[in-house]
Amino acid sequence: MRLFLRWIPAIICMAIIFYASSQTHSQQDITPAISAIIPNSIASNNLSEINFIYGEATINISTMGVAGLIEFFIRKIAHFTIYAMLGFSVSFALRSKTLFNRLTVTVFLCVIYAASDEFHQRLTGGRTALFSDVIIDTIGSFFGATILIFIKLFKNRYKRNS
């Protein structure tokens, strides 16, 4: 039973991801709130140099508007953050003798979940599945799992020195 309890944080993260993927783009649209908070003139001066391709879309102010560009970065940060939390919690749930095995299995499970999440988004109205998002999710899960490993290493070193 105790092993199951260790998986609860990971299951909660997966549920949050699944719920967010179930919403259409318009349900998650925060551009009106961003437009109300951040004046276009200030933001456009600071963000005007940003211009790159993500997936098949050109990311810049002229194609997305100021609020759309800021929302894009908020969404990508959210991808990274929730998958860092998932990586941390999956790594916490796993029982492995070696930290390398724990990291490898954690990232593998998170990549599988990220790919399935992108497929799920593809089935949701107004959403797209992007391999680039799976890459961001993978980096996030690696980061989260690595944080837990460093905490465990620090904790073990502290125990030995006490």
Side-chain angles (χ1 to χ4, degrees):
M1 184 64 170
R2 189 162 185 239
L3 180 62
F4 173 75
L5 294 176
R6 294 178 68 89
W7 280 96
I8 289 175
I11 291 167
I12 290 170
C13 285
M14 287 186 253
I16 291 168
I17 293 166
F18 185 83
Y19 174 74
S21 293
S22 299
Q23 294 180 316
T24 63
H25 183 72
S26 62
Q27 288 174 306
Q28 293 181 342
D29 187 14
I30 59 171
T31 55
I34 293 169
S35 295
I37 296 170
I38 301 172
N40 274 350
S41 59
I42 293 172
S44 62
N45 290 339
N46 294 318
L47 303 175
S48 62
E49 298 297 318
I50 296 174
N51 186 26
F52 60 95
I53 304 294
Y54 187 84
E56 295 178 6
T58 301
I59 307 300
N60 60 35
I61 287 178
S62 63
T63 59
M64 305 180 82
V66 171
L69 183 62
I70 293 170
E71 181 189 45
F72 171 83
F73 286 112
I74 290 171
R75 286 177 177 273
K76 299 313 157 194
I77 291 167
H79 265 271
F80 180 87
T81 303
I82 192 65
Y83 274 90
M85 293 167 55
L86 181 61
F88 186 96
S89 58
V90 167
S91 185
F92 173 78
L94 291 173
R95 294 285 182 147
S96 178
K97 298 274 188 225
T98 68
L99 296 177
F100 178 76
N101 286 350
R102 181 184 293 211
L103 180 64
T104 304
V105 172
T106 296
V107 172
F108 175 76
L109 292 174
C110 290
V111 167
I112 296 298
Y113 194 76
S116 69
D117 176 55
E118 288 302 310
F119 178 76
H120 179 232
Q121 281 186 37
R122 188 172 180 208
L123 303 175
T124 305
R127 301 290 297 272
T128 57
L130 295 172
F131 181 71
S132 307
D133 285 348
V134 175
I135 299 297
I136 291 172
D137 300 341
T138 301
I139 294 168
S141 64
F142 179 82
F143 180 79
T146 302
I147 293 296
L148 181 69
I149 288 170
F150 280 126
I151 290 170
K152 287 192 172 291
L153 289 172
F154 181 76
K155 184 178 166 184
N156 290 343
R157 183 169 287 163
Y158 181 74
K159 278 183 181 178
R160 278 189 235 133
N161 292 336
S162 295

